[in-house]
Amino acid sequence: MQPINILGVGRTDYNPKPDISIPEMVHRAVQAALADAGLTMKDVDARVTASADLWDGLTASNVAITEVVGAVMQPEARVAGDGLLAACHGAMSILAGAYNVVLVVAHCKSSMGDSDGITNWTFDPIFQQPLGLNDVAASALQASTLSLAPPLPCPIADGAAAIILSHASPLPTPHLIGMGWALDEHYLGDRDLTDSPALREAARRAYTLADIDDPKRDITFVELSDQFDYQRKLWASVLFGKTSEVAHTAKTSEVSARGVPPFVAGLDRLIEVVLRLRKESGTALAHGCWGPCGQGQAVVVVRQ
Amino acid sequence: MTELLRVSHTMTLSWRYGTSWYFAEFIRALRDERRLLGLRCPVCRRVYLPPRVVCGNCYAELSEWVEVKDSGTVRAFTIVHIPIVDPTSGQPRPTPYGMALIQLDGADTTLNHYLAENNPAKLRIGMRVQAVWREERRGTLSDIVHFAAMNNQTMNDEQ
Amino acid sequence: MKRVAVIGTGQTKHTKARDDVSQTELVREATTRALADAGITIHEVDAIVLSNMELFEGRALPEMWVGEGAGGYRKPVTKIATGGTSGTSACIAGYHQCASGLFDIVLVVGWEKHSEGATQTGMALTDPLWDRNVASGAVGNFALSISQYVAERGVTPQQAAKIAVKARRNAARNPNAHLQMDGITVEKVLESRMLADPVHLLDMCPQSDGACAVIYAAEDRAKKLCPRPAWVRAAVTRHDQPYIGDLDRRLVTMRTLRDAAREAYQRVGISEPLKEIDVAEIYEPVSYAELAWYEALGFCAEGEAGRLIDDGVTEMNGELPVNPSGGVLSTNPVGASGVIRVAEAAAQVMGRAGDHQVADVRLALATGYGVYAWSDVMILSAG
Ligand SMILES: [Zn+2]
């Protein structure tokens, strides 16, 4: 694929912000990304936003942020999912030739509601929801299949992240050279929770586009979405193989995505990768996941 | 054939919405001083209610507070005849009731609110209306009960 | 941009309540029909874009559960949700993914199963600090904007009722349409219950259970797979400010639709839309809105929309048939409604619209409408 330049990145901190509105929080991240790219909103052709209605307590939750993402009388697509998926879609629309400069924004305030209550509503209503499953309970099941202790609940976190993508750049910026995303099966009983075929598929697609034959050799470092502590090890083993787990998890960053809000985490991983690639050259992998036990998986490969 | 079943779930979720400084200031003035405040865009000069972070037309940050009157002009109206859930009570609001888009004096946007009148023959676009306030203000837009025609002159057009 | 075409569409029968299927099965029904229409199997689908407004059913991330119905496992699945425009925005997203060159075949599926949730409660989850102080609902908010439109343009309740009648008469020829109203007349619309002045019950769209799928193919595959593909010529999105009070006479100006149509026409080289476009499938949630959209889409001069319906210009046998399917006024599963517009426009170009086929369609328009005033415009053509 034609490389996509990452012109700028911006994010808020992820401390709980009970008094801050979603538009103001998103505005801070967008302003930071524009400043980082040295652009104004007039330079942006289109936006892809990522948010989740039930977490925001708002129907069509991107309505609240229309103005702060500059979408008035402008194109916007809104992905109801993780911000890394929104970044992939933004890159697709640039590859399509639809837009030159795309702003990608993700937000969530997990302090607003009851995550355990909300995530119960991600399970199918007929067989699994009545069991009282939620993300924490499902992750405890997943941890037990790995013979690990039950995971700690996710910390409450609020924040927004933004990146600006373009097909061309006047400066040498880190560029997105591969991406892939996939959905796993839904019913926990249908899945081998010690594995993630969706992540393997997402990575395969990303490696193919990036011409990576041997990820263990070619990937310099990795930023993983580890909403629960055991997940870092699991995703690393799926990506790089269980036999050499230790060697290859060493490539995973010490910067955890724990404490980054859901739906922001994947985009935050991409920002982390970009910031590091501005200091050292290499080929890095950013990972995002969403849904019960990481049912949805996305991988982006960035090179500098 | 086997009888079809429906599985029922009741959703009881609650959220705590953060207001930021602009809405907090709007509510403070409304509750403590019975004043309505708008924010003026530094570029297009449009005065916005509700207050917000940026003017979407200009992508300009807002910070200049402007006092807006609790009187205004009806720009659109309807009489609602079907039970619509009143989000403040969770119960359907008794019908029929009048509703309008009211451009408050000093504002450039309109406010969606109730009218005291529910006879369409006594309403028209351009008529002047005045807010009727609740005795004890609680710090919500519902502290305005509804808007009533000014000086009992329903046909009193804006000047 | 790379050339991309619609090569197949599929819909469920839309009804008030599909108790016999789950959301997953509903989506599978539309998907299976679209695959059959395109003459491909699910294994040939490279990526999937879904559309649904999850709070109407009270779900979170419904694609986790429902994605299976679209054949989504181990495949790239993206879910788009933007209110009423969800379906058209998903179609535009699917078009972009196919035009990226990374995918040859992209499946778009929209669905809504209103009977499974509390739609009014979902709709009421608006800005908690502002909109939730007033019981206005979608009907009340439309009625407000309609009062401005009527005052400025002088359209009559009879003219609006004619739109409502046209939709339901067209729906009678569409076996998938939800409302089937034999013997609907202008009088019956005007005699139906008043919801909010001047909107009668029969001026409004219903709430439906249903799903609709569209399959895109990149140029080479489209030519091989489809004798008469519906090529995407333009796809434009415009969003607007968040509060109804921000919008200057929204139905009168409808600046998003006006601007999106202007850009789409420019890309295709359309200067006289009424003459050049052969059929339109537009998202009209209420009869009066269709009249307002005629003006915004440039089908007539300002203030001439009433005359357009009086003269029968947009009837099935008129110069520009609008909503041969019966439109949103006859069928409205929200997450699917925009996909239905694109599917119906494509089926008209492909010559596969059955009893509601318009003769010799070369250029078709589809629009989406959502939130207070967001718009999508797509233009499809033969060749
Ligand atoms: Zn301005």
Side-chain angles (χ1 to χ4, degrees):
Chain A
M1 62 173 271
Q2 181 201 337
I4 302 289
N5 293 278
I6 300 166
L7 301 184
V9 300
R11 54 186 170 179
T12 63
D13 65 64
Y14 298 123
N15 299 322
K17 298 171 181 55
D19 298 331
I20 302 299
S21 70
I22 286 172
E24 190 180 11
M25 186 177 80
V26 170
H27 183 56
R28 292 176 187 178
V30 171
Q31 289 277 294
L34 286 171
D36 186 47
L39 296 176
T40 71
M41 192 55 94
K42 282 199 177 70
D43 300 313
V44 175
D45 297 324
R47 311 90 198 113
V48 184
T49 58
S51 58
D53 288 359
L54 210 50
W55 275 259
D56 284 15
L58 200 60
T59 293
S61 52
N62 59 325
V63 175
I65 59 168
T66 316
E67 296 185 298
V68 294
V69 301
V72 174
M73 294 298 284
Q74 293 287 321
E76 178 199 357
R78 180 248 175 161
V79 170
D82 189 84
L84 195 62
L85 186 51
C88 291
H89 181 66
M92 296 294 277
S93 62
I94 290 171
L95 290 175
Y99 310 117
N100 289 330
V101 179
V102 174
L103 169 68
V104 179
V105 185
H107 77 262
C108 186
K109 283 182 74 180
S110 66
S111 72
M112 281 177 63
D114 163 19
S115 289
D116 290 349
I118 288 169
T119 56
N120 177 237
W121 292 81
T122 59
F123 290 88
D124 90 277
I126 298 159
F127 298 105
Q128 297 188 126
Q129 188 180 357
L131 302 173
L133 280 169
N134 56 36
D135 271 7
V136 172
S139 296
L141 283 173
Q142 189 168 36
S144 75
T145 62
L146 297 161
S147 304
L148 295 169
L152 297 168
C154 298
I156 299 284
D158 296 345
I163 65 163
I164 298 171
L165 303 174
S166 174
H167 78 328
S169 168
L171 303 166
T173 64
H175 36 277
L176 192 161
I177 57 167
M179 56 187 161
W181 64 102
L183 204 58
D184 225 322
E185 288 162 300
H186 179 60
Y187 294 97
L188 295 182
D190 292 353
R191 291 169 62 180
D192 173 0
L193 293 175
T194 65
D195 194 4
S196 176
L199 175 55
R200 196 170 288 122
E201 174 63 12
R204 185 192 65 77
R205 287 171 179 269
Y207 296 155
T208 304
L209 292 173
D211 279 329
I212 290 174
D213 309 321
D214 181 357
K216 290 179 201 172
R217 183 194 63 211
D218 297 339
I219 301 280
T220 322
F221 64 93
V222 178
E223 292 288 350
L224 295 169
S225 282
D226 50 350
Q227 287 290 305
F228 296 96
D229 38 15
Y230 69 88
Q231 287 182 335
R232 190 190 308 212
K233 194 178 262 184
L234 174 59
W235 307 145
S237 73
V238 171
L239 284 169
F240 300 112
K242 291 176 199 229
T243 49
S244 49
E245 191 178 310
V246 177
H248 295 291
T249 52
K251 289 185 174 180
T252 65
S253 157
E254 288 309 308
V255 185
S256 171
R258 280 180 58 71
V260 183
F263 310 105
V264 180
L267 197 59
D268 178 79
R269 301 294 80 195
L270 181 54
I271 290 175
E272 203 63 50
V273 155
V274 169
L275 292 176
R276 191 162 153 193
L277 282 177
R278 284 176 181 174
K279 291 185 218 133
E280 54 184 292
S281 65
T283 302
L285 183 153
H287 162 257
C289 63
W290 58 99
C293 299
Q295 192 192 336
Q297 295 280 346
V299 165
V300 164
V301 177
V302 183
R303 181 170 291 159
Q304 172 71 309
Chain B
M1 188 173 162
T2 309
E3 186 194 354
L4 297 171
L5 302 177
R6 283 183 160 205
V7 177
S8 290
H9 295 286
T10 304
M11 184 180 277
T12 45
L13 294 172
S14 57
W15 293 278
R16 296 172 294 276
Y17 299 90
T19 65
S20 281
W21 56 272
Y22 47 90
F23 205 79
E25 173 61 9
F26 173 84
I27 289 298
R28 187 201 59 75
L30 178 146
R31 183 192 59 222
D32 299 348
E33 302 165 12
R34 221 183 82 165
R35 290 194 307 144
L36 295 168
L37 297 179
L39 278 168
R40 192 198 303 275
C41 172
V43 178
C44 68
R45 310 301 290 164
R46 205 171 183 223
V47 174
Y48 280 101
L49 243 82
R52 65 196 69 189
V53 187
V54 302
C55 163
N57 287 327
C58 307
Y59 191 68
E61 285 184 5
L62 305 179
S63 61
E64 184 192 341
W65 288 105
V66 177
E67 182 150 356
V68 171
K69 295 215 161 51
D70 66 350
S71 58
T73 305
V74 169
R75 297 296 181 204
F77 68 89
T78 184
I79 309 297
V80 178
H81 298 273
I82 49 162
I84 291 175
V85 173
D86 181 346
T88 62
S89 67
Q91 299 300 315
R93 184 175 171 89
T95 59
Y97 59 91
M99 209 171 63
L101 292 177
I102 297 151
Q103 186 178 356
L104 297 175
D105 296 332
D108 290 302
T109 58
T110 58
L111 171 67
N112 186 350
H113 218 299
Y114 301 122
L115 292 172
E117 185 59 69
N118 64 13
N119 178 355
K122 293 188 177 170
L123 296 170
R124 54 174 288 168
I125 290 174
M127 72 184 284
R128 302 278 298 150
V129 289
Q130 170 75 46
V132 175
W133 292 81
R134 204 203 317 256
E135 292 264 319
E136 293 254 312
R137 291 188 302 281
R138 301 169 201 171
T140 80
L141 204 56
S142 305
D143 288 343
I144 295 175
V145 180
H146 53 228
F147 283 79
M150 278 173 97
N151 308 320
N152 291 328
Q153 292 176 32
T154 54
M155 302 298 279
N156 186 4
D157 286 2
E158 69 180 304
Q159 297 304 305
Chain C
M1 288 180 75
K2 285 200 174 62
R3 273 162 60 83
V4 167
V6 176
I7 60 160
T9 71
Q11 296 183 47
T12 62
K13 162 72 183 148
H14 309 291
T15 62
K16 188 171 176 52
R18 280 293 302 271
D19 283 342
D20 60 320
V21 290
S22 68
Q23 291 182 48
T24 308
E25 291 162 335
L26 193 71
V27 162
R28 187 170 185 278
E29 234 175 72
T31 301
T32 306
R33 288 174 189 176
L35 291 168
D37 190 45
I40 60 170
T41 68
I42 194 68
H43 305 294
E44 293 170 80
V45 172
D46 297 312
I48 295 148
V49 179
L50 299 176
S51 159
N52 165 262
M53 285 307 293
E54 56 206 71
L55 283 195
F56 293 161
E57 290 92 358
R59 307 304 312 163
L61 306 180
E63 68 276 18
M64 293 293 150
W65 166 46
V66 179
E68 179 185 11
Y73 290 165
R74 316 283 158 83
K75 285 194 176 165
V77 175
T78 310
K79 196 196 142 211
I80 303 289
T82 54
T85 55
S86 294
T88 42
S89 284
C91 285
I92 291 174
Y95 163 54
H96 287 165
Q97 293 201 358
C98 200
S100 72
L102 301 194
F103 301 137
D104 277 340
I105 308 263
V106 176
L107 166 70
V108 179
V109 195
W111 83 97
E112 208 72 67
K113 207 155 177 263
H114 287 281
S115 70
E116 287 196 355
T119 300
Q120 234 198 59
T121 308
M123 297 273 279
L125 287 175
T126 53
D127 185 323
L129 305 170
W130 198 255
D131 296 323
R132 279 186 223 176
N133 289 287
V134 181
S136 51
V139 176
N141 285 329
F142 278 129
L144 287 171
S145 297
I146 288 166
S147 76
Q148 297 172 316
Y149 180 66
V150 168
E152 291 203 32
R153 299 290 197 247
V155 300
T156 63
Q158 285 75 15
Q159 287 168 331
K162 283 180 188 176
I163 297 284
V165 169
K166 169 176 74 70
R168 280 54 178 264
R169 283 196 183 140
N170 289 350
R173 283 191 279 195
N174 174 6
N176 293 323
H178 172 183
L179 296 185
Q180 296 292 338
M181 300 179 153
D182 288 343
I184 178 109
T185 62
V186 166
E187 291 69 33
K188 283 184 183 170
V189 174
L190 296 176
E191 283 163 13
S192 67
R193 192 156 57 104
M194 184 66 87
L195 305 179
D197 292 86
V199 180
H200 294 267
L201 177 67
L202 294 182
D203 283 312
M204 277 302 290
C205 58
Q207 282 174 7
S208 317
D209 283 3
C212 180
V214 160
I215 296 173
Y216 290 109
E219 182 164 18
D220 290 353
R221 297 295 303 279
K223 284 178 175 165
K224 277 185 199 131
L225 287 166
C226 188
R228 191 179 161 90
W231 298 97
V232 181
R233 302 288 302 283
V236 184
T237 298
R238 291 287 181 271
H239 287 183
D240 211 331
Q241 291 183 279
Y243 301 97
I244 188 172
D246 294 345
L247 307 165
D248 175 27
R249 302 164 301 150
R250 75 175 159 139
L251 287 196
V252 180
T253 58
M254 200 54 193
R255 62 177 184 169
T256 54
L257 187 59
R258 213 169 278 266
D259 196 57
R262 182 195 53 75
E263 183 175 327
Y265 295 163
Q266 197 174 21
R267 278 194 212 165
V268 181
I270 295 170
S271 52
E272 293 182 88
L274 186 70
K275 283 192 183 143
E276 295 173 54
I277 296 168
D278 299 309
V279 66
E281 278 285 342
I282 66 176
Y283 196 120
E284 31 46 302
V286 56
S287 57
Y288 288 88
E290 179 163 327
L291 293 166
W293 300 172
Y294 288 172
E295 296 180 22
L297 289 166
F299 295 172
C300 62
E302 291 181 2
E304 292 290 307
R307 185 190 56 75
L308 224 55
I309 188 67
D310 283 341
D311 293 350
V313 175
T314 56
E315 299 276 0
M316 273 304 276
N317 56 1
E319 186 175 3
L320 171 51
V322 173
N323 292 4
S325 67
V328 177
L329 284 175
S330 304
T331 304
N332 191 26
V334 169
S337 287
V339 184
I340 296 173
R341 304 281 72 70
V342 177
E344 287 286 346
Q348 291 285 353
V349 172
M350 292 189 283
R352 294 178 187 173
D355 286 346
H356 59 288
Q357 176 71 47
V358 173
D360 304 323
V361 172
R362 291 197 56 78
L363 205 55
L365 172 78
T367 75
Y369 163 84
V371 187
Y372 286 122
W374 290 1
S375 296
D376 284 325
V377 169
M378 286 188 82
I379 295 176
L380 304 169
S381 78

